[in-house]
């Protein structure tokens, strides 16, 4: 075989190239091009990513709230209402937060939060990347439970977002919101130290039950300041941010205990506490004590009045967020005395009205279920003397004069001596003439009733006071009760320091929870005879009437074409000619009407209304003679201030509920403090004293006129219709007031240093209190009870005469100078108006009036 030459080149193994040839190009060149394009594309993608990231960062950053400087970190905090002696009487807030300095927060509490919430807090730059990535994958990719991965810095950023954007947007579970939170956290880390971030976080974090920040939580769960927390208390609070409701020690104590164990374990693992400390704290019982509702438990009507005034002046947002300090004029001791006196008085008068019947009557399963609930509400052995409770009548024994009652599992006796008042309501019958003699006439088995635990001595005193039985008829038992009921009657009280203008106490009704209607301000009621001092003061001021002026107390009928009116005295009798002094002291109606007619004849039909307005009443006084007897309505607040004008001898000045308002920085926004106020700093008292000296006086009445009225009302409170006020044991003046059928009953009275008005009645005039109830019998005891406590150990001076007054020894019946040895009273007169020998000879002033309607 002959070899032939090949057309293709021959290659030996050494000649084989290392790359294949494609399209005529060597492989080396292609790889270089691919590398270059890869690098180019990579750089482009990186740049695009950077640009996209920058755009995304800019977009997400758009609208983010500014990072505040520390001095501008002003989260919403609590507005506090403070009584005169520095006690908190009310709190108002959108978020219950009290910011405390970092130095006050105990070290173990800080460690507990770091161990449980962010163990790498002092190492990262605001974001825990691994934790965030893990949480994002679980939440958004694997769709597992929503998992948090937020650092303390991010949580702080979240609270800033919530404050700026609202709770809904600031907590929305979205990637966008999370990224915005991350950006804000990085800005926080750049702006503040770790300790400063911790301070903001610990004062801002939500910890359940309206608690924002650790100070609020310490108060809310343990009734103590944050610096006083123990290790187990600090660990429990530090475990709350993850799920405040789920770990609530009130609602879920077992879950709270388990969460606390986790926090303690983490603290031990981080070397923050020893194993012994961990074990001891973990074994402690979860015991929490909720913060008192000071608003409802202290003085709700008073504080609500102040709240309305603050909202009117500063707006509701500022009240709820700006942490105002409102220093009230309320004297807490007097306020409590007023509330106690009102409650006692309402119950006593309500008892005299009769028993409205049991709350319900239960049998069978319904009764068993109720007794089970009562056992939980009042466990056996927990009822103390004076406590109110609900019980069920088990059995009636009229022979023994008792009802056996059950309060849950406890058994006791309700003797007839504890329920003699419980007659059927009938305002026309005096309650003492209808005392209950048999238990079965009022109650039966299964009746659900309100009870109060008492000692036997109280029941004995009741029997003696009513002369209804003998003390030996009161049984002996471990549990003795009286029958009670929720009063339908209402009342109000206003007490004013006439010189400082401070409203030291105010009660607007029986129960704020049942009705927020404030009867001291919002109820316009007929004042009855409590209006008469206004009538007589106008006559003394405008017509030169004196205590010796003779007024005729005789029947008179006023008629027009369609109607007639015949005013009557309370006792349905007439005394003939009487002095003004006698007419006012004994609250006689006909002389008051005739005095109003004299004003009408001399000064016009608007004279009385204009005078009342000058003294401080803003409610209209009807141009009718019945206004002299209190037919035109007034509110207790204004009428009390009119009596304070009398107390100040005619000087009119405002009364107020607020002494000072300070902002969260301690700057004074308004100041009405009096220079005599011992609770006000000395520097401010000096300034107030200077202002008092230069303050323009508004004298709306001649001081001599006012003094004459005060002296006459002084006699009302000693020998007149308000004589019971003499039991105060201090110089006092006042006036009773009772309207027809006793729908409204009043006592308005004052000492030199305290003016107080009391009203009792029903909100709706459907049933009267009856003819046996008067201002002196219903309202005056409340006034006396309160004033006795308010002025305990506080001597009161006698009312002193101003210049231009002369005292005259006067015959109280005739108004003439009294003969030596004759019955006489000393009465004040303006110099030149006093009775003289000529008056004694029969030329004394006498007011004759005609039938106005006939005219």
């Amino acid at each position: 075989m002959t070899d032939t030459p090949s057309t293709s080149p021959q290659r030996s193994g050494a000649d084989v190239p290392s790359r294949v040839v494609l399209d005529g190009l060597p492989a080396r060149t292609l790889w270089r091009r691919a590398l270059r394009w890869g690098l180019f594309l990579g750089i482009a993608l990186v740049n695009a990513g950077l640009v996209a990231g920058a755009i995304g960062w800019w977009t997400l950053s758009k609208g983010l709230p500014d990072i505040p400087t520390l001095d501008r970190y002003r989260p919403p905090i609590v507005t506090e209402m403070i009584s005169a002696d520095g006690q908190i009487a009310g709190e108002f807030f959108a978020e219950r937060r009290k910011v405390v300095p970092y130095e006050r927060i105990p070290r173990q509490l800080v460690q507990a939060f770091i161990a449980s919430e962010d163990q790498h807090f002092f190492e990262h730059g605001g974001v825990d990347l691994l934790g965030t990535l893990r949480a994002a994958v679980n939440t958004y990719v694997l769709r597992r439970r929503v998992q948090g991965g937020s650092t303390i810095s991010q949580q702080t950023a979240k609270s800033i977002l919530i404050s700026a954007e609202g709770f809904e947007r600031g907590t929305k579970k979205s990637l966008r919101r999370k990224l915005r939170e991350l950006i804000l956290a990085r800005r926080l880390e750049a702006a503040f130290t770790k300790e400063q971030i911790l301070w903001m976080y610990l004062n801002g974090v939500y910890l359940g039950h309206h608690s924002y920040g650790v100070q609020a939580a310490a108060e809310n769960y343990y009734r103590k300041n944050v610096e006083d927390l123990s290790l187990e208390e600090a660990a429990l609070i530090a475990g709350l941010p993850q799920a405040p409701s789920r770990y609530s020690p009130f609602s879920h104590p077992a879950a709270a205990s388990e969460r606390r164990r986790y926090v303690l374990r983490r603290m031990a693992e981080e070397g923050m506490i020893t194993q012994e400390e961990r074990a001891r704290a973990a074994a402690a019982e979860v015991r929490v004590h909720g913060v008192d509702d000071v608003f409802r438990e202290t003085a709700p009507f008073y504080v609500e009045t102040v709240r309305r005034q603050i909202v009117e002046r500063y707006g509701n947002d500022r009240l709820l967020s700006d942490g105002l300090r409102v220093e009230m004029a309320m004297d807490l001791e007097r306020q409590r005395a007023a509330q106690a006196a009102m409650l006692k008085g309402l119950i006593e008068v309500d008892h005299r009205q009769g028993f409205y019947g049991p709350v319900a009557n239960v049998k069978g399963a319904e009764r068993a279920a109720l007794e089970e609930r009562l056992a939980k509400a009042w466990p056996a052995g927990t009822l103390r003397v004076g406590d109110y409770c609900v019980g069920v009548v088990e059995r009636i024994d009229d022979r023994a004069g008792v009802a056996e009652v059950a309060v849950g599992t406890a058994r006791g006796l309700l003797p007839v001596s504890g329920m003699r008042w419980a007659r059927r309501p009938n305002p026309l019958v005096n309650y003492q003439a209808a005392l209950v003699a048999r238990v079965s006439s009022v109650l039966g088995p299964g009746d659900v009733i309100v009870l109060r635990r008492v000692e036997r001595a109280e029941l004995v005193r009741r029997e003696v006071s009513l002369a209804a039985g003998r003390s030996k008829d009161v049984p002996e038992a471990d549990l003795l009760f009286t029958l009670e009921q929720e009063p339908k009657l209402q009342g109000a009280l206003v007490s004013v320091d006439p010189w400082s203008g401070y409203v030291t106490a105010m009660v607007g009704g029986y129960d704020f929870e049942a009705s927020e209607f404030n009867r001291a301000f919002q109820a316009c009621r007929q004042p009855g005879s409590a209006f008469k001092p206004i009538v007589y003061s106008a006559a003394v001021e405008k017509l030169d009437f004196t205590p010796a002026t003779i007024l005729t107390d005789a029947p008179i009928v006023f008629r027009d074409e369609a109607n007639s009116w015949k005013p009557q005295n309370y006792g349905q009798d007439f005394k003939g000619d009487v002095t003004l002094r006698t007419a006012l002291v004994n609250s006689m109606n006909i002389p008051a009407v005739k005095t109003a007619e004299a004003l009408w004849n001399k000064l016009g039909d608007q004279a009385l209304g204009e005078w009342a307005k000058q003294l401080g009443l803003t409610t209209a006084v009807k141009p009718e003679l019945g206004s002299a007897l209190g037919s035109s309505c007034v509110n207790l607040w204004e009428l009390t201030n009119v009596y304070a004008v009398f107390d100040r001898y005619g000087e009119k000045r405002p009364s107020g509920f607020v002494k000072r308002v300070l902002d969260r920085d301690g700057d004074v926004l308004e100041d009405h403090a009096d220079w005599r106020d011992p609770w006000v700093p000395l520097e401010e008292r000096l300034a107030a004293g200077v202002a008092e000296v230069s303050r323009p006086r508004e004298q709306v009445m001649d001081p001599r006129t006012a003094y004459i009225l005060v002296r006459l009302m002084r006699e009302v409170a000693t020998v007149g219709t308000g004589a019971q006020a003499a039991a105060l044991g201090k110089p006092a003046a006042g006036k009773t007031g009772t309207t027809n059928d006793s729908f409204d009953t009043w006592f308005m009275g004052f000492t030199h240093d305290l003016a107080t008005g009391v009203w009792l009645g029903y909100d709706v005039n459907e049933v009267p209190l009856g003819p046996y109830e008067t201002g002196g019998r219903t309202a005056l005891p409340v006034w006396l009870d309160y004033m006795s406590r308010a002025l305990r150990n506080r001597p009161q001076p006698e009312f002193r005469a101003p210049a231009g007054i002369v005292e005259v020894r006067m015959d109280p019946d005739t108004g003439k100078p009294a003969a030596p040895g004759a019955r006489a009273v000393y009465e004040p007169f303006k110099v030149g108006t006093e009775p003289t020998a000529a008056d004694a000879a029969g030329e004394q002033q006498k007011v004759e009036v005609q039938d106005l309607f006939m005219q």
Side-chain angles (χ1 to χ4, degrees):
M1 178 176 220
T2 305
D3 294 333
T4 58
S6 172
T7 57
S8 298
Q10 299 292 319
R11 300 178 186 177
S12 65
D15 296 329
V16 177
S18 59
R19 302 172 186 80
V20 296
V21 178
L22 296 174
D23 297 330
L25 294 175
R28 184 187 302 275
T29 302
L30 291 174
W31 278 107
R32 286 177 178 173
R33 288 186 178 183
L35 181 61
R36 282 198 301 271
W37 278 105
L39 288 173
F40 175 77
L41 289 174
I43 292 172
L45 287 172
V46 169
N47 288 334
L50 291 174
V51 171
I55 293 174
W57 185 279
W58 178 81
T59 302
L60 292 170
S61 301
K62 194 174 182 181
L64 277 176
D66 293 334
I67 299 296
T69 58
L70 284 186
D71 61 339
R72 289 178 54 235
Y73 175 64
R74 305 171 77 81
I77 59 176
V78 174
T79 287
E80 294 179 333
M81 305 288 187
I82 310 295
S83 67
D85 57 348
Q87 302 296 311
I88 297 177
E91 294 182 334
F92 297 94
F93 50 84
E95 299 175 0
R96 190 177 186 276
R97 177 186 289 105
K98 295 183 179 181
V99 176
V100 294
Y102 187 73
E103 295 74 22
R104 278 186 57 188
I105 303 173
R107 183 167 176 267
Q108 282 189 327
L109 181 60
V110 175
Q111 292 174 328
F113 272 96
I114 290 175
S116 59
E117 290 294 308
D118 189 359
Q119 66 187 77
H120 302 300
F121 173 72
F122 286 101
E123 301 164 13
H124 61 63
V127 181
D128 184 346
L129 294 177
L130 290 178
T132 301
L133 181 61
R134 181 173 60 252
V137 170
N138 283 328
T139 303
Y140 301 111
V141 179
L142 301 180
R143 298 296 180 181
R144 295 175 181 171
R145 65 180 178 86
V146 176
Q147 182 175 348
S150 296
T151 64
I152 284 177
S153 301
Q154 286 175 274
Q155 293 182 54
T156 306
K158 182 179 179 180
S159 69
I160 294 175
L161 279 174
I162 292 173
S163 296
E165 300 178 351
F167 183 81
E168 185 175 349
R169 288 186 61 191
T171 59
K172 185 178 181 181
K173 291 180 170 54
S174 67
L175 183 60
R176 182 178 185 277
R177 196 274 304 167
K178 196 70 178 177
L179 291 173
R180 284 165 60 82
E181 177 186 294
L182 183 150
I183 295 169
L184 203 56
R186 290 291 302 137
R187 291 182 179 179
L188 282 171
E189 289 280 343
F192 302 115
T193 66
K194 291 288 187 179
E195 287 76 13
Q196 290 169 339
I197 293 174
L198 269 176
W199 174 72
M200 287 190 289
Y201 170 74
L202 293 174
N203 278 304
V205 61
Y206 179 61
L207 296 168
H209 294 280
H210 305 291
S211 302
Y212 288 81
V214 291
Q215 173 63 24
E219 293 177 359
N220 202 32
Y221 296 116
Y222 299 109
R223 295 182 184 176
K224 58 175 63 174
N225 287 320
V226 64
E227 60 266 31
D228 299 323
L229 291 172
S230 64
L231 173 59
E232 59 266 25
E233 293 167 347
L236 187 144
I237 288 175
L240 293 172
Q242 286 292 321
S245 297
R246 188 191 317 159
Y247 299 129
S248 165
F250 292 117
S251 308
H252 308 289
S257 178
E258 185 63 31
R259 179 66 178 172
R260 183 181 66 182
R261 279 195 289 271
Y262 165 76
V263 175
L264 292 167
R265 175 174 64 80
R266 288 289 304 119
M267 293 180 73
E269 289 172 354
E270 295 294 325
M272 298 171 176
I273 58 174
T274 65
Q275 290 297 335
E276 290 77 14
E277 289 175 318
R278 171 193 173 186
R280 185 167 56 251
E285 180 184 356
V286 174
R287 300 182 64 182
V288 288
H289 311 281
V291 66
D292 294 331
D293 187 348
V294 292
F295 169 77
R296 299 188 185 279
E297 294 176 6
T298 306
F301 282 107
Y302 195 113
V303 175
E304 173 62 12
T305 300
V306 174
R307 185 198 69 80
R308 290 171 182 262
Q309 293 181 359
I310 295 301
V311 168
E312 183 178 346
R313 295 203 280 268
Y314 299 99
N316 197 52
D317 289 343
R318 197 165 186 187
L319 172 81
L320 297 178
S321 301
D322 270 13
L324 303 176
R325 177 183 172 88
V326 182
E327 297 180 358
M328 301 183 295
M330 180 180 69
D331 183 314
L332 193 54
E333 180 181 348
R334 289 181 174 178
Q335 179 66 30
R336 286 171 174 158
Q339 291 171 176
M342 181 59 68
L343 177 61
K344 178 183 176 184
L346 285 175
I347 290 175
E348 288 179 353
V349 178
D350 190 73
H351 279 187
R352 295 202 294 265
Q353 296 300 297
F355 183 52
Y356 310 129
V359 177
N361 187 277
V362 292
K363 298 177 181 178
E366 185 182 7
R367 177 169 174 173
L370 175 62
E371 290 186 346
E372 184 178 347
R373 293 199 301 271
L374 296 180
K376 292 179 180 178
W378 293 281
T382 60
L383 275 175
R384 298 170 298 178
V385 173
D387 284 352
Y388 287 81
C389 60
V390 175
V392 180
V393 177
E394 296 269 283
R395 189 174 70 89
I396 302 293
D397 185 345
D398 276 332
R399 180 173 297 180
V402 297
E404 295 179 7
V405 295
V407 181
T409 59
R411 297 294 185 273
L413 296 180
L414 168 60
V416 70
S417 55
M419 53 180 292
R420 292 202 184 275
W421 61 271
R423 54 144 180 169
R424 291 184 179 180
N426 186 347
L428 299 179
V429 177
N430 189 344
Y431 88 105
Q432 282 189 306
L435 295 175
V436 170
R438 295 169 58 86
V439 177
S440 61
S441 66
V442 179
L443 300 174
D447 282 346
V448 180
I449 53 178
V450 179
L451 299 166
R452 181 170 62 91
R453 186 184 175 187
V454 295
E455 293 179 323
R456 185 175 183 274
E458 179 178 335
L459 295 173
V460 171
R461 287 195 298 271
R462 283 189 173 210
E463 289 290 87
V464 172
S465 66
L466 293 173
R470 297 168 297 176
S471 62
K472 68 178 183 180
D473 293 332
V474 180
E476 300 274 1
D478 291 335
L479 279 179
L480 288 172
F481 296 100
T482 58
L483 178 66
E484 304 295 340
Q485 68 182 359
E486 188 87 2
K488 291 184 179 180
L489 196 67
Q490 288 291 348
L493 180 151
V494 173
S495 188
V496 177
D497 181 327
W499 308 108
S500 66
Y502 290 174
V503 181
T504 61
M506 188 271 287
V507 179
Y510 165 68
D511 183 5
F512 185 83
E513 287 292 312
S515 170
E516 297 182 14
F517 182 69
N518 190 329
R519 293 148 190 89
F521 285 89
Q522 297 171 288
C524 196
R525 312 291 302 211
Q526 290 183 336
S529 296
F531 193 81
K532 288 175 182 174
I534 297 176
V535 177
Y536 287 119
S537 65
V540 173
E541 180 88 352
K542 305 290 187 180
L543 305 180
D544 291 328
F545 278 27
T546 73
T549 298
I550 296 297
L551 302 166
T552 300
D553 180 35
I556 187 170
V557 178
F558 295 98
R559 299 184 181 90
D560 60 19
E561 293 181 358
N563 302 294
S564 65
W565 174 51
K566 183 179 180 180
Q568 298 285 335
N569 289 325
Y570 176 74
Q572 303 295 315
D573 59 349
F574 302 93
K575 304 295 184 184
D577 286 352
V578 297
T579 62
L580 185 151
R581 178 255 180 201
T582 298
L584 178 56
V585 169
N586 295 287
S587 197
M588 301 166 73
N589 287 342
I590 307 301
V593 173
K594 292 184 175 180
T595 300
E597 188 176 17
L599 286 165
W600 195 329
N601 289 337
K602 184 75 175 287
L603 303 172
D605 60 0
Q606 301 297 321
L608 187 56
E610 291 171 356
W611 177 250
K613 183 177 181 180
Q614 184 174 328
L615 296 183
L617 294 183
T618 61
T619 53
V621 175
K622 293 179 285 189
E624 61 184 31
L625 295 181
S627 293
L629 306 183
S631 65
S632 300
C633 75
V634 300
N635 64 58
L636 178 63
W637 162 251
E638 291 185 350
L639 191 57
T640 302
N641 279 286
V642 169
Y643 276 73
V645 170
F646 292 141
D647 200 356
R648 289 189 294 265
Y649 293 177
E651 183 187 343
K652 186 178 179 181
R653 63 171 64 176
S655 298
F657 290 82
V658 176
K659 292 197 299 185
R660 301 195 307 166
V661 178
L662 290 75
D663 65 15
R664 67 197 297 162
D665 300 316
D667 296 327
V668 177
L669 301 179
E670 58 181 275
D671 190 347
H672 312 288
D674 185 73
W675 64 274
R676 289 159 288 225
D677 189 341
W679 300 100
V680 174
L682 178 60
E683 184 176 323
E684 295 185 27
R685 291 174 64 187
L686 293 173
V690 173
E692 174 69 16
V693 171
S694 58
R695 178 180 62 84
R697 265 55 177 176
E698 185 180 2
Q699 195 72 34
V700 295
M701 184 192 308
D702 187 329
R704 299 173 300 169
T705 298
Y707 178 72
I708 291 170
L709 261 293
V710 168
R711 279 286 300 276
L712 292 174
M713 287 190 285
R714 179 89 172 84
E715 295 182 75
V716 171
T718 51
V719 297
T721 57
Q724 188 181 350
L728 181 64
K730 296 175 171 64
K735 186 69 188 73
T736 55
T738 310
T739 60
N740 290 343
D741 295 319
S742 298
F743 279 118
D744 297 283
T745 60
W746 306 72
F747 187 75
M748 313 297 299
F750 52 89
T751 64
H752 181 272
D753 295 331
L754 196 60
T756 301
V758 176
W759 166 86
L760 265 70
Y762 292 110
D763 281 339
V764 180
N765 291 342
E766 294 179 349
V767 179
L769 293 175
Y772 300 97
E773 302 294 350
T774 64
R777 195 159 186 244
T778 62
L780 177 50
V782 176
W783 181 92
L784 180 61
D785 189 357
Y786 163 71
M787 293 289 280
S788 297
R789 301 189 201 186
L791 296 175
R792 183 178 295 143
N793 301 322
R794 300 182 187 185
Q796 295 294 289
E798 188 57 85
F799 300 102
R800 296 182 178 178
I805 288 289
V806 61
E807 295 276 339
V808 173
R809 188 171 176 272
M810 185 187 87
D811 183 323
D813 297 326
T814 66
K816 301 174 182 178
R823 187 172 73 94
V825 292
Y826 282 91
E827 295 298 336
F829 294 82
K830 299 177 184 177
V831 173
T833 66
E834 67 272 18
T836 65
D839 297 319
E843 299 175 7
Q844 186 182 7
Q845 177 190 19
K846 180 176 179 179
V847 176
E848 295 287 355
V849 293
Q850 304 298 322
D851 188 328
L852 182 69
F853 286 89
M854 292 298 290
Q855 294 174 18

